[in-house]
C-alpha cells in the first residue's frame, strides 16, 4: 500500500481538499465557525502541552491533525471571496458610479472585448472611497484596452445573472470561482484611460512580448486556422481559434495541446536545463546559477502564457523537482505533485473547482502511475514501434485518470485520442521550441525569422490538417454522454481500486472493482428508468423570444412562436437534452395538437396531460371563474387587464419589460399567486 511517510504532502493535501470542498458546499455563516475553530488549536495543545497523551493515543492525535487541515480548508475558502470584505466596491454602488481600476489581465476578444479590472476607487455622490474587488467589463470590440492601463469608468456594475436555462453552463458560478462577482457593459463614451503601465512591470513586459509574438505569427503564417493553433499552443492565446478548430481538436482528444500545460512547461524547462548546462557547465559549484536562470525562464514562460491553473501547476511542480535535484534530494514524484497542489491551494483554494486544475493533476497522476504498467504490457524490438507504443501508453494513462470528469464536463469521449496523441505530442515537442527560436531570430533579423517561418508554417499546417481529417471520422466519437456526480465517484472508485490492486497485488481488491461496477450499472439503469418515465414542461429563457418544451420520456416536443434560429435553440436546450437523454425532437406549430403525446391546443390554451397553460395576450374580456394552472405572459400588459387573469402561477416571458414585470409582480403580491420571471430567474421546469 502507500508509504505515507514518503508522501507527507499527500497526507496534508487530502484533508485540505476535503475542507475546501465542504465549506464551498455548506457555505456556513461566520457564527457557525465557533463550532469548528477549536480544532485549529487542539493538535498544538496535545503536541506541546499534553505530549504524553498525544504519544499514547497516536491515532487520536492523527485524527486531530487531519481535522486541523479540514478546518483550515474551511477558513481558507471563507476568507477568499472578496465580495464579503468590508471595502469591496459592491457595498458602495448607488445609481451613479465612477470607478477607477487597473486592467488586471490581457483582454479577450469574442463579439466584444472583455477585460478584468482591479477596482481601486469608487466615486459616489461626490465622495471617493478606497475600495478593492474585480469587475468584469465588456467593451466595444474596437476599444484599445490592454494590460496595465488605469481606467475611469462611468458604469453601473451588476451581479452576474443566474444560469439561463436548466443544466446550462453557469457563468455566474464560474466567475465566483475566479473571485469576480460583478459585471458591467461600457459604451464608447463611458470610459477614459488615465495612465499606462500601472500593472506589474515583469507582467507588463511579458504581455507586451506576447503581443509582439502574436504579430510575428500573423506575419509568417498566412492561414488563419493555423495562426490560431500556433497562438494557443505557444502563447496560450485562444482568441484566434475558430469554433471549427476547437471542435476538431476537442473531438479527437487533442484539445490539451492547445491549453498550455505541463507538456509545454516541461519542454521549456528541459530545454532551459540543457541551455544552462551549455552556458555554465556541469560544475557543482554553479548549480545554483543554473537553477536561478532556469526557474526564471520557466516562470517568465508561465507569465507569458497567462498563468492558467494548469501552467501554474506545472511551474510549481517543476520548480519543486528542480530545487530537489539541486539539493541532491530525489523525492517521490507523487509527493512533488501533491506539494505543488498544496501550495497552489494555499494561495488560491478556488483553483480546486477549476476544470483545468482538475484535469491537469488527474492527467499527470495517471501518467505517472499507470503509464509504466501499460508500457510493460508489450515489448517491441523496433525502436520506431517502441516510440509509438510509449506515446500511446501515455495517452491511455491520461485518459484512464481523466475520462470520468472529462465526460462529466464535456459530455463526449474521443475514441481517436491515441491516434491524435501519437501526432500532436511529438508535434508540440518540435513546434514549441522551433517557434521560440523564430521569435528570438525576429529580434536579430526579421528576414531570417521569415525564412524559418515558412518551414514553421508548413509544420503547423500538417499538424492541424491531420487533426481536421481525423475529426471527420464520426464513428470515432462518442457524443452526448451524461455522467452524474455519482457516476463520476463510482468510476474514480474503480480506478482507485485498480490502482491499489496494482500496488499491493491483493487479488481481493478485484471484488471491490466488481462491486463498484455493479453499483455503477444499477445507477445507470436508474437514470435510464427516470428518462423513460419523465413528464415535464419547460419554459426556456431565450432573448426576445418565447419557447416551451413538453417532455415525455426521451421525446421533446417544442413550440417557439418566433421560429428560433437553430443556433439559439441548441444553445438553450443542448445541456438539458444530454441530461435527460432526449433522442427524439418534434417542433410544434401554432395549430398542431398531439393527442398521442398528451398535448392538445385550442386557440391560446395548451393542455398537456391535464395541466392548462394559457398564453396571453390575448386576454378574455371581463372576470371569469375559469382558472388556468399557468398563465404565460408573452408581451407587456396593460395593468387595467391584470384583474382578468386567473391562474395558480403567472409566468413572465422573455419579452416582458422589467418595469412591466415589476408592476405585474406587485399586483399579484397580495393575491396568493406565484409570479415567476424568466428574464430574472432563468428557465423553469415543471414536473407534470
Amino acid at each position: 500500500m502507500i508509504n505515507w511517510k514518503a508522501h507527507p504532502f499527500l497526507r496534508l493535501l487530502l484533508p485540505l481538499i476535503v475542507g475546501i470542498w465542504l465549506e464551498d458546499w455548506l457555505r456556513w455563516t461566520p457564527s457557525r465557525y465557533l463550532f469548528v475553530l477549536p480544532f485549529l488549536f487542539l493538535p498544538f495543545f496535545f503536541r506541546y502541552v499534553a505530549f504524553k497523551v498525544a504519544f499514547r493515543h497516536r491515532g487520536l492525535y492523527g485524527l486531530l491533525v487531519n481535522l486541523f487541515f479540514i478546518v483550515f480548508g474551511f477558513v481558507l475558502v471563507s476568507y477568499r471571496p472578496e465580495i464579503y470584505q468590508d471595502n469591496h466596491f459592491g457595498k458602495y454602488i448607488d445609481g451613479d458610479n465612477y470607478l477607477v481600476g487597473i486592467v488586471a489581465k490581457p483582454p479577450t476578444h469574442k463579439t466584444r472585448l472583455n477585460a478584468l479590472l482591479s477596482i481601486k476607487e469608487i466615486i459616489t455622490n461626490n465622495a471617493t472611497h478606497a475600495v478593492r474587488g474585480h469587475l468584469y467589463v465588456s467593451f466595444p470590440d474596437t476599444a484599445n484596452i490592454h494590460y496595465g492601463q488605469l481606467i475611469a469608468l462611468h458604469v453601473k456594475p451588476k451581479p452576474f445573472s443566474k444560469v439561463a436555462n436548466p443544466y446550462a453552463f453557469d457563468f455566474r458560478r464560474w466567475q465566483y470561482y475566479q473571485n469576480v462577482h460583478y459585471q458591467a457593459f461600457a459604451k464608447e463614451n463611458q470610459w477614459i484611460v488615465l495612465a499606462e503601465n500601472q500593472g506589474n512591470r515583469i507582467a507588463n513586459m511579458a504581455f507586451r512580448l506576447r503581443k509582439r509574438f502574436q504579430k510575428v505569427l500573423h506575419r509568417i503564417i498566412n492561414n488563419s486556422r493555423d495562426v490560431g493553433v500556433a497562438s494557443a499552443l505557444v502563447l496560450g492565446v485562444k482568441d484566434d481559434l475558430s469554433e471549427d478548430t476547437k471542435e476538431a481538436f476537442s473531438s479527437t482528444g487533442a484539445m490539451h495541446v492547445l491549453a498550455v500545460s505541463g507538456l509545454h512547461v516541461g519542454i521549456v524547462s528541459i530545454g532551459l536545463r540543457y541551455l544552462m548546462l551549455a552556458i555554465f557547465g556541469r560544475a557543482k559549484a554553479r548549480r545554483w546559477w543554473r537553477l536561478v536562470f532556469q526557474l526564471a525562464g520557466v516562470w517568465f514562460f508561465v507569465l507569458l502564457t497567462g498563468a492558467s491553473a494548469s501552467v501554474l501547476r506545472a511551474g510549481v511542480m517543476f520548480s519543486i523537482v528542480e530545487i530537489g535535484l539541486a539539493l541532491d534530494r530525489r523525492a517521490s514524484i507523487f509527493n512533488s505533485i501533491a506539494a505543488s497542489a498544496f501550495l497552489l491551494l494555499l494561495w488560491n483554494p478556488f483553483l480546486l473547482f477549476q476544470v483545468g486544475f482538475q484535469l491537469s493533476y488527474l492527467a499527470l497522476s495517471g501518467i505517472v502511475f499507470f503509464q509504466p504498467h501499460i508500457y510493460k504490457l508489450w515489448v517491441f524490438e523496433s525502436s520506431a514501434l517502441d516510440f509509438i507504443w510509449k506515446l500511446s501508453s501515455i495517452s491511455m494513462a491520461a485518459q484512464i485518470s481523466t475520462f470520468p470528469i472529462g465526460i462529466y464536463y464535456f459530455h463526449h469521449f474521443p475514441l481517436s485520442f491515441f491516434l491524435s496523441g501519437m501526432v500532436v505530442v511529438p508535434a508540440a515537442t518540435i513546434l514549441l521550441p522551433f517557434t521560440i527560436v523564430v521569435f528570438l531570430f525576429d529580434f536579430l533579423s526579421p528576414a531570417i525569422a521569415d525564412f524559418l517561418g515558412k518551414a514553421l508554417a508548413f509544420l503547423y499546417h500538417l499538424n492541424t490538417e491531420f487533426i481536421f481529417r481525423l475529426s471527420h471520422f464520426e464513428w470515432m466519437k462518442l457524443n452526448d454522454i451524461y455522467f452524474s456526480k455519482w457516476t463520476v465517484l463510482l468510476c474514480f472508485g474503480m480506478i482507485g481500486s485498480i490502482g491499489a490492486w496494482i500496488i499491493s497485488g491483493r487479488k481481493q481488491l478485484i471484488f471491490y472493482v466488481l462491486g463498484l461496477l455493479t453499483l455503477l450499472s444499477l445507477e445507470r439503469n436508474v437514470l435510464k428508468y427516470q428518462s423513460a418515465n419523465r413528464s415535464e414542461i419547460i419554459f426556456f429563457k431565450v432573448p426576445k423570444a418565447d419557447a416551451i418544451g413538453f417532455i415525455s420520456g426521451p421525446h421533446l416536443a417544442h413550440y417557439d412562436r418566433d421560429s428560433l434560429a437553430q443556433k439559439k435553440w441548441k444553445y438553450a436546450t443542448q445541456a438539458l437534452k444530454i441530461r435527460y437523454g432526449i433522442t427524439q425532437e418534434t417542433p410544434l406549430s401554432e395549430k398542431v395538437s398531439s393527442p398521442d403525446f398528451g398535448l392538445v391546443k385550442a386557440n391560446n390554451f395548451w393542455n398537456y396531460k391535464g395541466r392548462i397553460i394559457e398564453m396571453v395576450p390575448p386576454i378574455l374580456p371581463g372576470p371569469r371563474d375559469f382558472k388556468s394552472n399557468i398563465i404565460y405572459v408573452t408581451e407587456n400588459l396593460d395593468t387595467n387587464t391584470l384583474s382578468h387573469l386567473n391562474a395558480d402561477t403567472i409566468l413572465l416571458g422573455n419579452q416582458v419589460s422589467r418595469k412591466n414585470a415589476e408592476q405585474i409582480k406587485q399586483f399579484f403580491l397580495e393575491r396568493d399567486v406565484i409570479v415567476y420571471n424568466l428574464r430574472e430567474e432563468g428557465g423553469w421546469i415543471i414536473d407534470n
Side-chain angles (χ1 to χ4, degrees):
M1 298 300 288
I2 297 176
N3 179 9
W4 291 107
K5 291 183 178 180
H7 305 86
F9 274 102
L10 187 58
R11 298 174 68 183
L12 303 178
L13 177 64
L14 294 177
L16 182 70
I17 288 175
V18 171
I20 292 171
W21 177 79
L22 277 176
E23 206 288 332
D24 183 72
W25 177 48
L26 296 173
R27 302 280 176 91
W28 277 8
T29 57
S31 60
R32 292 190 177 185
Y33 279 85
L34 296 175
F35 296 102
V36 297
L37 286 179
F39 289 106
L40 290 175
F41 306 100
L42 281 176
F44 298 97
F45 173 79
F46 277 95
R47 179 67 178 83
Y48 296 105
V49 179
F51 176 77
K52 291 183 180 180
V53 177
F55 181 78
R56 190 180 308 116
H57 302 283
R58 291 187 292 276
L60 175 61
Y61 180 67
L63 176 63
L64 290 175
V65 170
N66 279 283
L67 287 173
F68 168 85
F69 280 101
I70 290 174
V71 175
F72 189 57
F74 259 76
V75 175
L76 278 177
V77 178
S78 64
Y79 282 97
R80 181 66 186 176
E82 59 185 23
I83 193 173
Y84 300 137
Q85 297 172 5
D86 292 336
N87 60 344
H88 189 268
F89 68 84
K91 292 180 170 54
Y92 297 91
I93 292 174
D94 61 11
D96 196 22
N97 309 288
Y98 288 86
L99 299 100
V100 179
I102 298 173
V103 181
K105 290 183 179 180
T108 58
H109 288 84
K110 291 185 179 179
T111 54
R112 291 171 64 89
L113 188 144
N114 302 312
L116 183 66
L117 267 65
S118 177
I119 304 301
K120 303 300 181 184
E121 291 182 347
I122 184 169
I123 304 171
T124 59
N125 297 326
N126 298 320
T128 302
H129 306 275
V131 294
R132 60 178 301 177
H134 290 84
L135 177 65
Y136 182 86
V137 186
S138 180
F139 293 93
D141 190 52
T142 54
N144 183 21
I145 305 296
H146 52 261
Y147 173 80
Q149 287 180 325
L150 182 66
I151 295 178
L153 290 160
H154 186 201
V155 294
K156 185 177 181 179
K158 296 181 179 179
F160 289 99
S161 302
K162 295 181 179 179
V163 61
N165 286 294
Y167 309 109
F169 174 67
D170 193 342
F171 187 66
R172 181 174 68 168
R173 185 176 179 84
W174 184 82
Q175 287 287 3
Y176 176 87
Y177 291 135
Q178 313 300 315
N179 215 357
V180 183
H181 307 275
Y182 282 86
Q183 64 178 336
F185 291 84
K187 298 179 181 178
E188 288 286 355
N189 60 345
Q190 290 184 319
W191 83 89
I192 184 172
V193 177
L194 302 177
E196 301 279 352
N197 303 323
Q198 298 299 300
N200 181 277
R201 291 185 179 181
I202 298 176
N204 192 43
M205 180 174 64
F207 293 140
R208 284 181 179 274
L209 274 177
R210 183 163 79 167
K211 196 170 183 179
R212 171 175 176 158
F213 292 157
Q214 281 184 267
K215 292 180 179 178
V216 173
L217 290 175
H218 279 274
R219 190 181 76 229
I220 64 177
I221 302 177
N222 295 322
N223 189 314
S224 60
R225 185 181 71 181
D226 299 336
V227 169
V229 172
S231 297
L233 190 149
V234 182
L235 302 174
V237 178
K238 298 181 181 179
D239 292 344
D240 295 327
L241 284 175
S242 66
E243 291 301 321
D244 290 342
T245 304
K246 291 178 183 178
E247 174 61 28
F249 275 80
S250 176
S251 64
T252 56
M255 194 64 185
H256 64 280
V257 176
L258 300 184
V260 179
S261 59
L263 171 67
H264 307 72
V265 177
I267 293 170
V268 171
S269 181
I270 293 170
L272 286 170
R273 183 192 299 169
Y274 284 110
L275 180 62
M276 294 303 104
L277 286 172
I279 295 174
F280 294 103
R282 296 181 176 272
K284 195 171 183 179
R286 297 180 179 177
R287 60 182 175 177
W288 294 110
W289 286 105
R290 293 195 299 266
L291 178 66
V292 168
F293 282 100
Q294 181 184 349
L295 294 185
V298 166
W299 281 98
F300 189 77
F301 178 75
V302 168
L303 199 59
L304 180 70
T305 54
S308 66
S310 57
V311 185
L312 285 171
R313 184 270 306 163
V316 172
M317 197 198 69
F318 276 104
S319 299
I320 291 172
V321 171
E322 293 298 335
I323 292 171
L325 290 174
L327 294 170
D328 291 327
R329 294 181 180 177
R330 287 170 171 76
S332 162
I333 185 63
F334 288 107
N335 194 54
S336 297
I337 294 172
S340 66
F342 185 82
L343 294 174
L344 285 174
L345 291 177
L346 288 183
W347 172 63
N348 181 4
F350 282 158
L351 286 175
L352 180 65
F353 305 104
Q354 294 186 15
V355 180
F357 185 88
Q358 297 170 12
L359 287 173
S360 179
Y361 273 98
L362 287 171
L364 182 60
S365 300
I367 290 170
V368 171
F369 183 83
F370 287 109
Q371 190 273 338
H373 299 286
I374 297 173
Y375 179 64
K376 291 176 184 176
L377 294 176
W378 283 281
V379 178
F380 296 95
E381 295 182 2
S382 168
S383 57
L385 290 176
D386 182 70
F387 177 73
I388 292 173
W389 172 237
K390 184 177 291 186
L391 291 178
S392 299
S393 65
I394 291 172
S395 295
M396 289 178 186
Q399 288 294 336
I400 287 172
S401 58
T402 60
F403 84 88
I405 65 167
I407 295 175
Y408 176 76
Y409 286 119
F410 306 115
H411 309 296
H412 73 267
F413 183 78
L415 298 175
S416 57
F417 68 87
F418 62 95
L419 291 175
S420 63
M422 286 189 291
V423 173
V424 296
V425 173
T429 308
I430 296 170
L431 289 170
L432 179 57
F434 191 2
T435 308
I436 292 174
V437 168
V438 171
F439 289 159
L440 295 176
F441 268 108
D442 188 67
F443 287 103
L444 302 173
S445 172
I448 297 177
D450 289 343
F451 177 75
L452 294 174
K454 293 180 180 179
L456 183 66
F458 177 71
L459 291 176
Y460 273 113
H461 183 72
L462 284 180
N463 179 60
T464 309
E465 188 65 23
F466 170 79
I467 293 298
F468 266 84
R469 290 183 179 274
L470 188 61
S471 69
H472 292 156
F473 294 99
E474 294 294 332
W475 60 272
M476 300 189 78
K477 308 172 190 176
L478 297 177
N479 294 321
D480 298 341
I481 311 171
Y482 172 69
F483 268 22
S484 68
K485 291 179 180 178
W486 284 110
T487 308
V488 174
L489 289 174
L490 290 169
C491 286
F492 277 126
M494 288 193 294
I495 293 170
S497 298
I498 293 170
W501 179 29
I502 292 172
I503 292 175
S504 66
R506 293 171 57 190
K507 295 181 180 179
Q508 296 91 333
L509 287 167
I510 196 65
F511 292 105
Y512 287 96
V513 178
L514 293 175
L516 289 167
L517 186 60
T518 302
L519 290 175
L520 179 62
S521 177
L522 178 63
E523 192 259 356
R524 301 305 293 176
N525 280 310
V526 169
L527 290 175
K528 189 175 181 180
Y529 174 81
Q530 290 174 343
S531 176
N533 294 276
R534 182 173 283 111
S535 178
E536 293 178 350
I537 305 171
I538 302 174
F539 298 90
F540 295 99
K541 178 183 176 180
V542 183
K544 299 179 180 180
D546 298 299
I548 310 174
F550 303 92
I551 291 181
S552 179
H555 188 177
L556 169 63
H558 62 88
Y559 164 76
D560 52 275
R561 191 178 61 172
D562 303 281
S563 299
L564 287 177
Q566 183 61 30
K567 187 176 181 180
K568 269 190 175 182
W569 175 249
K570 182 178 179 181
Y571 180 79
T573 63
Q574 183 70 10
L576 179 133
K577 288 189 288 187
I578 293 172
R579 170 66 177 82
Y580 282 0
I582 300 296
T583 56
Q584 188 177 355
E585 192 173 349
T586 303
L588 301 173
S589 67
E590 284 277 3
K591 299 180 180 180
V592 169
S593 295
S594 303
D596 294 338
F597 192 74
L599 179 64
V600 179
K601 185 176 188 299
N603 297 321
N604 61 316
F605 289 89
W606 297 79
N607 185 331
Y608 181 55
K609 298 182 180 180
R611 190 180 291 270
I612 308 298
I613 303 171
E614 180 183 356
M615 305 277 284
V616 299
I619 298 176
L620 297 177
R624 53 196 167 96
D625 296 329
F626 177 78
K627 188 176 186 180
S628 302
N629 296 111
I630 300 169
I631 287 181
Y632 186 13
V633 181
T634 60
E635 300 175 7
N636 288 339
L637 293 181
D638 185 343
T639 54
N640 295 323
T641 65
L642 296 181
S643 59
H644 299 168
L645 304 183
N646 189 10
D648 298 318
T649 302
I650 306 295
L651 178 65
L652 305 181
N654 302 293
Q655 301 186 69
V656 178
S657 69
R658 287 185 172 85
K659 181 180 179 180
N660 192 238
E662 187 60 30
Q663 291 172 337
I664 296 172
K665 186 175 181 180
Q666 289 298 322
F667 181 86
F668 288 103
L669 189 63
E670 299 178 357
R671 287 169 171 77
D672 197 26
V673 176
I674 298 171
V675 179
Y676 188 94
N677 190 342
L678 285 177
R679 288 184 60 177
E680 299 296 330
E681 302 179 68
W684 190 34
I685 296 178
I686 303 171
D687 189 0
N688 206 47

